[in-house]
Amino acid sequence: MKRLMVCCVLVIALCKTVAAEEGMWIPMLIEQLNIKQMQDIGLKLSAEDIYSVNRSSLKDAIVQFGGGCTAEIISPEGLILTNHHCGYGAIQRQSSLEHDYLTNGFWATSHDEELPCPGLTVTLLIRMEEVTEKALQGVTGSMNQMQRGQLVKQNIEKIEKEATAGTGYEAKVRPFYYGNQYYLFVNEVFRDVRLVGAPPSSIGKFGGDTDNWMWPRHTGDFSLFRIYTDKDNKGAAYSKDNVPYRPKYFLPVSLKGYQKKDFTFVFGYPGTTREYLTSYAIDLTTNIENPLRIDLRKKKLDIINAAMESDQLVKIQYSAKAAGIANFWKKMIGESRGIKRLNGLAKKQAFEQKFQCWTDSLSLTMQRYGGLLRSFEATYREYRATDIASIYLTEAGQGIELVRFAAGFRELVKYSKAKPIKPDLVASSIKSLQRTTREFFRNYSAAVDKQLMSAMLGAMLTGMDPKSTPDIFAFIAKKYAGNADTYAAYVFGHTLLADSSTVLVFLADYKPSMVKNLEKDPAFNLAVSIYQCNENNVLPKAMVFNAVTDSLQRTYMQGQMEMQRDKRFYPDANSTLRIAYGQVNDYCPADAVTYNFFTTLGGVIQKEDPAIYDYTVDPKLKFLYLNRDFGPYCDRDSTMHVAFTASNHTTGGNSGSPVLNAEGQLIGINFDRNWEGTMSDMMYDPSQCRNIALDIRYCLFIIDKMAGAKWLIAEMNIVR
């Protein structure tokens, strides 16, 4: 009885509401869950103003940009605003030595000069709907994970098909709370997106990787694009006859600024969070996965950065690649440090003790959840070795560009050896490879990749369990004494796949009888060995692990919600539209250290270092600063604000999201988090977690005063 009373006290202590700053909430549910709290801390809008299917609302101005970021519509002519780093790939693909838009920036002076971006899409939510009952129709407790998954998949396909019949829209059903709930999202996809403007890298990437994830921040991280549609205002493929999109709603842009403790909210598409994991998952991520990935990515970055510093063409080719590698590399460092600083593993273990205590207190909960945590422990312990092998194979082996490219020839080999050979399949494969080849070699340096191969294979040879290595490693050990440098030199010296002209000539003349040329190719053999090792030895085990942990986590999520009935649970991010809200605020990352909640253009000048590429300052920007020529964009304190921090809960995918004030007006563009708060994907700390936003006034200042693109300012609804 005494133990039961202690358990009850512990459970009551856990049943509290989520802090105002924490959470990524479903827009259609804010009327039920959040609107009163939001209004209590400053919001001046109704739930219907934010999300509505009956009239235009804020949600009609928020789009998913390219599948991995967010953007917002800011004019009646489909002008959209996102981060420079979100548009970076599109800007890079438009760049060349003759037109280096990455370094120098790009500004269209009319619609006619806006640049089409093939392959770039934006997605607008039309409506969302809970469909849990339909998705789980026919599911029983006696089903195994595979049976359940197949039935749910069939149900989802039916829901999606019915939701879009005759509409031209696209639909997707996503699981929430680890498959305890399901929601339908009906979207319109726009496939004609054009580059309108981007600042030079000295503004858009000021501070580079050094400042990435850091505060104070002085990066003008924005770019402008435009949505084009057919004449009926519907999404369509690119056509010169397309016209600018006419949105249902576009965001007003505020020059009023912000003060400490002002209410803000972020509306966007956060990617992935994992707030309800066990200690076993936290331990695997922070103590095994992150350190290994950090080490491998550091090796890659050292090679790529050195090459970019010495060759301008390589800089253009590899800037986006390096940024992608570095972004997650630095995030993982901060994440692991943040978890350790929070003593996060111990906190998860303490919660699990309370969960077990609650489970043991009743026969019904014991029956449902009694052995759950023990199953988690055994599953994660058994998977650890496979997880390490998977990281080496994907981060290192498949991290070699030539390996990834060569792996694409496996289909052609398969069709060439088929009996009987089907010429149409061979021809289709050749055509696809020709397209891939032209795209691949636009941004490829064999000299850089040769160094990457040496480094990555060297890491695999020394770090992997010999039982888990690809078969070709035995050949490398026997013929090259396990020397990765010597073997890489052999591969690049004898492959036909490292030169675009050679590959294109080979494909142009290709006949199935030439398949032996590929089968003897050292790059192709290396790629096949690495991919087969992953596909045959690692992925099957990973699939079993994921199926087991999905089932366990779904049950654990159900148990947490049952135990903490008074807690408002927000679902983990899964690249669907969400709202996060909080306040403009500073923070104290360490003893005797306090960071202000905004930065100014003066800080850009203070950081200037002409000897370091990432800290060069455009002469015109410096001139404007010295002459205090800020136009109407300076703050009431007479300084030009650059960025600010707030306590909105964000993650990857929120890049480019609008930061809105209490009246729903655009005051900033979310572009990062502070390093001390990157663990917020797994554990949120309200004292340390801050989103970093570009002040919209600095964005307008650059468009107007630096670019002279007043025609774009004139499109917007500026609130003074």
Side-chain angles (χ1 to χ4, degrees), residues 660-688:
L660 304 163
N661 63 15
E663 298 168 287
Q665 298 162 350
L666 184 64
I667 60 171
I669 313 166
N670 188 79
F671 71 94
D672 209 349
R673 282 174 285 167
N674 63 323
W675 207 33
E676 298 84 0
T678 50
M679 73 291 182
S680 62
D681 286 350
M682 294 189 288
M683 299 186 76
Y684 185 89
D685 178 1
S687 72
Q688 295 298 312

PDB file of all heavy atoms in Angstrom, residues 660-688:
ATOM      1  N   LEU A 660       5.588  35.481 -36.714  1.00  0.00           N
ATOM      2  CA  LEU A 660       4.475  36.423 -36.763  1.00  0.00           C
ATOM      3  C   LEU A 660       4.251  37.067 -35.404  1.00  0.00           C
ATOM      4  O   LEU A 660       4.499  36.438 -34.351  1.00  0.00           O
ATOM      5  CB  LEU A 660       3.209  35.696 -37.220  1.00  0.00           C
ATOM      6  CG  LEU A 660       3.332  34.978 -38.569  1.00  0.00           C
ATOM      7  CD1 LEU A 660       2.223  33.953 -38.751  1.00  0.00           C
ATOM      8  CD2 LEU A 660       3.309  35.984 -39.713  1.00  0.00           C
ATOM      9  N   ASN A 661       3.752  38.292 -35.416  1.00  0.00           N
ATOM     10  CA  ASN A 661       3.447  38.959 -34.157  1.00  0.00           C
ATOM     11  C   ASN A 661       2.013  38.652 -33.737  1.00  0.00           C
ATOM     12  O   ASN A 661       1.321  37.843 -34.369  1.00  0.00           O
ATOM     13  CB  ASN A 661       3.717  40.457 -34.254  1.00  0.00           C
ATOM     14  CG  ASN A 661       2.828  41.166 -35.276  1.00  0.00           C
ATOM     15  OD1 ASN A 661       1.816  40.626 -35.735  1.00  0.00           O
ATOM     16  ND2 ASN A 661       3.212  42.387 -35.646  1.00  0.00           N
ATOM     17  N   ALA A 662       1.569  39.310 -32.684  1.00  0.00           N
ATOM     18  CA  ALA A 662       0.251  39.019 -32.116  1.00  0.00           C
ATOM     19  C   ALA A 662      -0.882  39.287 -33.092  1.00  0.00           C
ATOM     20  O   ALA A 662      -1.970  38.726 -32.967  1.00  0.00           O
ATOM     21  CB  ALA A 662       0.050  39.847 -30.842  1.00  0.00           C
ATOM     22  N   GLU A 663      -0.638  40.142 -34.090  1.00  0.00           N
ATOM     23  CA  GLU A 663      -1.667  40.473 -35.074  1.00  0.00           C
ATOM     24  C   GLU A 663      -1.544  39.655 -36.358  1.00  0.00           C
ATOM     25  O   GLU A 663      -2.244  39.914 -37.336  1.00  0.00           O
ATOM     26  CB  GLU A 663      -1.577  41.963 -35.406  1.00  0.00           C
ATOM     27  CG  GLU A 663      -1.833  42.850 -34.197  1.00  0.00           C
ATOM     28  CD  GLU A 663      -1.468  44.295 -34.453  1.00  0.00           C
ATOM     29  OE1 GLU A 663      -0.267  44.597 -34.500  1.00  0.00           O
ATOM     30  OE2 GLU A 663      -2.398  45.112 -34.611  1.00  0.00           O
ATOM     31  N   GLY A 664      -0.620  38.674 -36.368  1.00  0.00           N
ATOM     32  CA  GLY A 664      -0.442  37.841 -37.551  1.00  0.00           C
ATOM     33  C   GLY A 664       0.343  38.507 -38.645  1.00  0.00           C
ATOM     34  O   GLY A 664       0.250  38.111 -39.815  1.00  0.00           O
ATOM     35  N   GLN A 665       1.138  39.511 -38.310  1.00  0.00           N
ATOM     36  CA  GLN A 665       1.962  40.224 -39.283  1.00  0.00           C
ATOM     37  C   GLN A 665       3.385  39.677 -39.257  1.00  0.00           C
ATOM     38  O   GLN A 665       3.899  39.290 -38.198  1.00  0.00           O
ATOM     39  CB  GLN A 665       1.966  41.718 -38.958  1.00  0.00           C
ATOM     40  CG  GLN A 665       0.590  42.351 -39.032  1.00  0.00           C
ATOM     41  CD  GLN A 665       0.509  43.681 -38.315  1.00  0.00           C
ATOM     42  OE1 GLN A 665       1.427  44.072 -37.590  1.00  0.00           O
ATOM     43  NE2 GLN A 665      -0.599  44.387 -38.499  1.00  0.00           N
ATOM     44  N   LEU A 666       4.031  39.656 -40.404  1.00  0.00           N
ATOM     45  CA  LEU A 666       5.362  39.089 -40.537  1.00  0.00           C
ATOM     46  C   LEU A 666       6.404  40.020 -39.922  1.00  0.00           C
ATOM     47  O   LEU A 666       6.568  41.161 -40.364  1.00  0.00           O
ATOM     48  CB  LEU A 666       5.668  38.854 -42.020  1.00  0.00           C
ATOM     49  CG  LEU A 666       6.988  38.172 -42.362  1.00  0.00           C
ATOM     50  CD1 LEU A 666       7.026  36.750 -41.825  1.00  0.00           C
ATOM     51  CD2 LEU A 666       7.206  38.171 -43.885  1.00  0.00           C
ATOM     52  N   ILE A 667       7.123  39.515 -38.912  1.00  0.00           N
ATOM     53  CA  ILE A 667       8.194  40.309 -38.305  1.00  0.00           C
ATOM     54  C   ILE A 667       9.559  39.644 -38.481  1.00  0.00           C
ATOM     55  O   ILE A 667      10.591  40.266 -38.220  1.00  0.00           O
ATOM     56  CB  ILE A 667       7.951  40.568 -36.805  1.00  0.00           C
ATOM     57  CG1 ILE A 667       7.862  39.247 -36.020  1.00  0.00           C
ATOM     58  CG2 ILE A 667       6.711  41.420 -36.599  1.00  0.00           C
ATOM     59  CD1 ILE A 667       7.852  39.433 -34.508  1.00  0.00           C
ATOM     60  N   GLY A 668       9.578  38.385 -38.922  1.00  0.00           N
ATOM     61  CA  GLY A 668      10.860  37.712 -39.091  1.00  0.00           C
ATOM     62  C   GLY A 668      10.735  36.437 -39.897  1.00  0.00           C
ATOM     63  O   GLY A 668       9.630  35.949 -40.168  1.00  0.00           O
ATOM     64  N   ILE A 669      11.890  35.906 -40.280  1.00  0.00           N
ATOM     65  CA  ILE A 669      11.969  34.646 -41.017  1.00  0.00           C
ATOM     66  C   ILE A 669      12.823  33.693 -40.193  1.00  0.00           C
ATOM     67  O   ILE A 669      14.014  33.946 -39.981  1.00  0.00           O
ATOM     68  CB  ILE A 669      12.616  34.832 -42.403  1.00  0.00           C
ATOM     69  CG1 ILE A 669      12.020  36.029 -43.142  1.00  0.00           C
ATOM     70  CG2 ILE A 669      12.460  33.563 -43.241  1.00  0.00           C
ATOM     71  CD1 ILE A 669      12.841  36.460 -44.332  1.00  0.00           C
ATOM     72  N   ASN A 670      12.229  32.625 -39.717  1.00  0.00           N
ATOM     73  CA  ASN A 670      12.978  31.664 -38.916  1.00  0.00           C
ATOM     74  C   ASN A 670      14.084  31.027 -39.758  1.00  0.00           C
ATOM     75  O   ASN A 670      13.844  30.625 -40.900  1.00  0.00           O
ATOM     76  CB  ASN A 670      12.036  30.570 -38.410  1.00  0.00           C
ATOM     77  CG  ASN A 670      12.705  29.644 -37.419  1.00  0.00           C
ATOM     78  OD1 ASN A 670      12.861  29.988 -36.253  1.00  0.00           O
ATOM     79  ND2 ASN A 670      13.120  28.477 -37.862  1.00  0.00           N
ATOM     80  N   PHE A 671      15.316  30.958 -39.206  1.00  0.00           N
ATOM     81  CA  PHE A 671      16.367  30.314 -39.997  1.00  0.00           C
ATOM     82  C   PHE A 671      17.295  29.416 -39.204  1.00  0.00           C
ATOM     83  O   PHE A 671      18.133  28.726 -39.777  1.00  0.00           O
ATOM     84  CB  PHE A 671      17.177  31.346 -40.801  1.00  0.00           C
ATOM     85  CG  PHE A 671      18.085  32.250 -40.022  1.00  0.00           C
ATOM     86  CD1 PHE A 671      19.422  31.930 -39.835  1.00  0.00           C
ATOM     87  CD2 PHE A 671      17.622  33.447 -39.519  1.00  0.00           C
ATOM     88  CE1 PHE A 671      20.274  32.790 -39.145  1.00  0.00           C
ATOM     89  CE2 PHE A 671      18.470  34.313 -38.841  1.00  0.00           C
ATOM     90  CZ  PHE A 671      19.797  33.986 -38.646  1.00  0.00           C
ATOM     91  N   ASP A 672      17.163  29.370 -37.898  1.00  0.00           N
ATOM     92  CA  ASP A 672      18.086  28.528 -37.143  1.00  0.00           C
ATOM     93  C   ASP A 672      17.585  28.365 -35.714  1.00  0.00           C
ATOM     94  O   ASP A 672      16.563  28.939 -35.319  1.00  0.00           O
ATOM     95  CB  ASP A 672      19.484  29.159 -37.140  1.00  0.00           C
ATOM     96  CG  ASP A 672      20.602  28.124 -37.034  1.00  0.00           C
ATOM     97  OD1 ASP A 672      20.305  26.946 -36.752  1.00  0.00           O
ATOM     98  OD2 ASP A 672      21.769  28.484 -37.251  1.00  0.00           O
ATOM     99  N   ARG A 673      18.352  27.580 -34.952  1.00  0.00           N
ATOM    100  CA  ARG A 673      18.208  27.514 -33.499  1.00  0.00           C
ATOM    101  C   ARG A 673      19.552  27.817 -32.866  1.00  0.00           C
ATOM    102  O   ARG A 673      20.583  27.746 -33.520  1.00  0.00           O
ATOM    103  CB  ARG A 673      17.757  26.111 -33.066  1.00  0.00           C
ATOM    104  CG  ARG A 673      16.305  25.817 -33.273  1.00  0.00           C
ATOM    105  CD  ARG A 673      15.985  24.375 -32.959  1.00  0.00           C
ATOM    106  NE  ARG A 673      16.457  23.472 -34.003  1.00  0.00           N
ATOM    107  CZ  ARG A 673      16.526  22.145 -33.860  1.00  0.00           C
ATOM    108  NH1 ARG A 673      16.181  21.586 -32.722  1.00  0.00           N
ATOM    109  NH2 ARG A 673      16.953  21.402 -34.853  1.00  0.00           N
ATOM    110  N   ASN A 674      19.526  28.142 -31.593  1.00  0.00           N
ATOM    111  CA  ASN A 674      20.793  28.328 -30.891  1.00  0.00           C
ATOM    112  C   ASN A 674      21.406  26.970 -30.565  1.00  0.00           C
ATOM    113  O   ASN A 674      20.705  25.979 -30.360  1.00  0.00           O
ATOM    114  CB  ASN A 674      20.597  29.149 -29.613  1.00  0.00           C
ATOM    115  CG  ASN A 674      19.687  28.459 -28.607  1.00  0.00           C
ATOM    116  OD1 ASN A 674      18.714  27.803 -28.973  1.00  0.00           O
ATOM    117  ND2 ASN A 674      19.982  28.614 -27.330  1.00  0.00           N
ATOM    118  N   TRP A 675      22.718  26.930 -30.550  1.00  0.00           N
ATOM    119  CA  TRP A 675      23.448  25.669 -30.370  1.00  0.00           C
ATOM    120  C   TRP A 675      23.098  25.009 -29.044  1.00  0.00           C
ATOM    121  O   TRP A 675      22.997  23.787 -28.951  1.00  0.00           O
ATOM    122  CB  TRP A 675      24.951  25.939 -30.456  1.00  0.00           C
ATOM    123  CG  TRP A 675      25.750  24.760 -30.909  1.00  0.00           C
ATOM    124  CD1 TRP A 675      25.374  23.790 -31.780  1.00  0.00           C
ATOM    125  CD2 TRP A 675      27.088  24.440 -30.528  1.00  0.00           C
ATOM    126  NE1 TRP A 675      26.394  22.884 -31.985  1.00  0.00           N
ATOM    127  CE2 TRP A 675      27.459  23.272 -31.224  1.00  0.00           C
ATOM    128  CE3 TRP A 675      28.021  25.051 -29.686  1.00  0.00           C
ATOM    129  CZ2 TRP A 675      28.709  22.680 -31.086  1.00  0.00           C
ATOM    130  CZ3 TRP A 675      29.276  24.472 -29.559  1.00  0.00           C
ATOM    131  CH2 TRP A 675      29.609  23.293 -30.250  1.00  0.00           C
ATOM    132  N   GLU A 676      22.928  25.813 -28.008  1.00  0.00           N
ATOM    133  CA  GLU A 676      22.628  25.264 -26.686  1.00  0.00           C
ATOM    134  C   GLU A 676      21.257  24.598 -26.641  1.00  0.00           C
ATOM    135  O   GLU A 676      20.975  23.822 -25.717  1.00  0.00           O
ATOM    136  CB  GLU A 676      22.680  26.378 -25.629  1.00  0.00           C
ATOM    137  CG  GLU A 676      24.035  27.050 -25.479  1.00  0.00           C
ATOM    138  CD  GLU A 676      24.284  28.170 -26.489  1.00  0.00           C
ATOM    139  OE1 GLU A 676      23.380  28.430 -27.326  1.00  0.00           O
ATOM    140  OE2 GLU A 676      25.375  28.778 -26.443  1.00  0.00           O
ATOM    141  N   GLY A 677      20.400  24.898 -27.646  1.00  0.00           N
ATOM    142  CA  GLY A 677      19.042  24.365 -27.631  1.00  0.00           C
ATOM    143  C   GLY A 677      18.752  23.318 -28.684  1.00  0.00           C
ATOM    144  O   GLY A 677      17.596  22.943 -28.880  1.00  0.00           O
ATOM    145  N   THR A 678      19.797  22.816 -29.371  1.00  0.00           N
ATOM    146  CA  THR A 678      19.537  21.876 -30.472  1.00  0.00           C
ATOM    147  C   THR A 678      19.027  20.522 -29.996  1.00  0.00           C
ATOM    148  O   THR A 678      18.530  19.731 -30.795  1.00  0.00           O
ATOM    149  CB  THR A 678      20.811  21.667 -31.323  1.00  0.00           C
ATOM    150  OG1 THR A 678      21.915  21.369 -30.471  1.00  0.00           O
ATOM    151  CG2 THR A 678      21.128  22.906 -32.133  1.00  0.00           C
ATOM    152  N   MET A 679      19.144  20.254 -28.683  1.00  0.00           N
ATOM    153  CA  MET A 679      18.599  18.996 -28.175  1.00  0.00           C
ATOM    154  C   MET A 679      17.075  19.029 -28.112  1.00  0.00           C
ATOM    155  O   MET A 679      16.430  18.045 -27.733  1.00  0.00           O
ATOM    156  CB  MET A 679      19.163  18.683 -26.792  1.00  0.00           C
ATOM    157  CG  MET A 679      18.626  19.529 -25.654  1.00  0.00           C
ATOM    158  SD  MET A 679      19.182  21.239 -25.775  1.00  0.00           S
ATOM    159  CE  MET A 679      18.457  21.952 -24.313  1.00  0.00           C
ATOM    160  N   SER A 680      16.468  20.160 -28.521  1.00  0.00           N
ATOM    161  CA  SER A 680      15.012  20.294 -28.429  1.00  0.00           C
ATOM    162  C   SER A 680      14.268  19.307 -29.309  1.00  0.00           C
ATOM    163  O   SER A 680      13.063  19.123 -29.146  1.00  0.00           O
ATOM    164  CB  SER A 680      14.588  21.723 -28.792  1.00  0.00           C
ATOM    165  OG  SER A 680      14.939  22.030 -30.132  1.00  0.00           O
ATOM    166  N   ASP A 681      14.957  18.659 -30.256  1.00  0.00           N
ATOM    167  CA  ASP A 681      14.310  17.609 -31.040  1.00  0.00           C
ATOM    168  C   ASP A 681      13.975  16.398 -30.185  1.00  0.00           C
ATOM    169  O   ASP A 681      13.128  15.586 -30.552  1.00  0.00           O
ATOM    170  CB  ASP A 681      15.219  17.157 -32.188  1.00  0.00           C
ATOM    171  CG  ASP A 681      15.291  18.183 -33.306  1.00  0.00           C
ATOM    172  OD1 ASP A 681      14.507  19.147 -33.284  1.00  0.00           O
ATOM    173  OD2 ASP A 681      16.135  18.017 -34.201  1.00  0.00           O
ATOM    174  N   MET A 682      14.671  16.266 -29.050  1.00  0.00           N
ATOM    175  CA  MET A 682      14.416  15.130 -28.156  1.00  0.00           C
ATOM    176  C   MET A 682      13.991  15.568 -26.755  1.00  0.00           C
ATOM    177  O   MET A 682      13.236  14.869 -26.098  1.00  0.00           O
ATOM    178  CB  MET A 682      15.663  14.244 -28.073  1.00  0.00           C
ATOM    179  CG  MET A 682      16.020  13.558 -29.383  1.00  0.00           C
ATOM    180  SD  MET A 682      17.321  12.314 -29.225  1.00  0.00           S
ATOM    181  CE  MET A 682      18.749  13.358 -28.966  1.00  0.00           C
ATOM    182  N   MET A 683      14.503  16.718 -26.311  1.00  0.00           N
ATOM    183  CA  MET A 683      14.155  17.222 -24.989  1.00  0.00           C
ATOM    184  C   MET A 683      14.164  18.741 -25.038  1.00  0.00           C
ATOM    185  O   MET A 683      15.156  19.338 -25.470  1.00  0.00           O
ATOM    186  CB  MET A 683      15.139  16.718 -23.924  1.00  0.00           C
ATOM    187  CG  MET A 683      15.181  15.218 -23.765  1.00  0.00           C
ATOM    188  SD  MET A 683      16.231  14.676 -22.378  1.00  0.00           S
ATOM    189  CE  MET A 683      15.171  15.071 -20.987  1.00  0.00           C
ATOM    190  N   TYR A 684      13.084  19.359 -24.592  1.00  0.00           N
ATOM    191  CA  TYR A 684      12.960  20.809 -24.656  1.00  0.00           C
ATOM    192  C   TYR A 684      13.292  21.428 -23.300  1.00  0.00           C
ATOM    193  O   TYR A 684      12.809  20.976 -22.255  1.00  0.00           O
ATOM    194  CB  TYR A 684      11.532  21.193 -25.065  1.00  0.00           C
ATOM    195  CG  TYR A 684      11.343  22.672 -25.286  1.00  0.00           C
ATOM    196  CD1 TYR A 684      11.573  23.229 -26.536  1.00  0.00           C
ATOM    197  CD2 TYR A 684      10.950  23.508 -24.250  1.00  0.00           C
ATOM    198  CE1 TYR A 684      11.412  24.584 -26.754  1.00  0.00           C
ATOM    199  CE2 TYR A 684      10.784  24.866 -24.458  1.00  0.00           C
ATOM    200  CZ  TYR A 684      11.020  25.400 -25.706  1.00  0.00           C
ATOM    201  OH  TYR A 684      10.868  26.748 -25.913  1.00  0.00           O
ATOM    202  N   ASP A 685      14.137  22.460 -23.331  1.00  0.00           N
ATOM    203  CA  ASP A 685      14.507  23.194 -22.118  1.00  0.00           C
ATOM    204  C   ASP A 685      14.112  24.656 -22.328  1.00  0.00           C
ATOM    205  O   ASP A 685      14.756  25.377 -23.091  1.00  0.00           O
ATOM    206  CB  ASP A 685      16.015  23.082 -21.875  1.00  0.00           C
ATOM    207  CG  ASP A 685      16.474  23.863 -20.651  1.00  0.00           C
ATOM    208  OD1 ASP A 685      15.619  24.470 -19.972  1.00  0.00           O
ATOM    209  OD2 ASP A 685      17.689  23.875 -20.378  1.00  0.00           O
ATOM    210  N   PRO A 686      13.050  25.130 -21.662  1.00  0.00           N
ATOM    211  CA  PRO A 686      12.567  26.499 -21.917  1.00  0.00           C
ATOM    212  C   PRO A 686      13.578  27.587 -21.580  1.00  0.00           C
ATOM    213  O   PRO A 686      13.493  28.693 -22.112  1.00  0.00           O
ATOM    214  CB  PRO A 686      11.317  26.604 -21.036  1.00  0.00           C
ATOM    215  CG  PRO A 686      11.463  25.534 -20.012  1.00  0.00           C
ATOM    216  CD  PRO A 686      12.212  24.425 -20.675  1.00  0.00           C
ATOM    217  N   SER A 687      14.544  27.297 -20.738  1.00  0.00           N
ATOM    218  CA  SER A 687      15.534  28.311 -20.380  1.00  0.00           C
ATOM    219  C   SER A 687      16.610  28.469 -21.449  1.00  0.00           C
ATOM    220  O   SER A 687      17.285  29.503 -21.499  1.00  0.00           O
ATOM    221  CB  SER A 687      16.193  27.964 -19.038  1.00  0.00           C
ATOM    222  OG  SER A 687      17.072  26.858 -19.177  1.00  0.00           O
ATOM    223  N   GLN A 688      16.782  27.460 -22.308  1.00  0.00           N
ATOM    224  CA  GLN A 688      17.880  27.468 -23.271  1.00  0.00           C
ATOM    225  C   GLN A 688      17.442  27.412 -24.733  1.00  0.00           C
ATOM    226  O   GLN A 688      18.177  27.854 -25.608  1.00  0.00           O
ATOM    227  CB  GLN A 688      18.825  26.285 -22.999  1.00  0.00           C
ATOM    228  CG  GLN A 688      19.542  26.352 -21.666  1.00  0.00           C
ATOM    229  CD  GLN A 688      20.445  27.568 -21.561  1.00  0.00           C
ATOM    230  OE1 GLN A 688      21.222  27.849 -22.453  1.00  0.00           O
ATOM    231  NE2 GLN A 688      20.320  28.301 -20.461  1.00  0.00           N
TER     232      GLN A 688
END
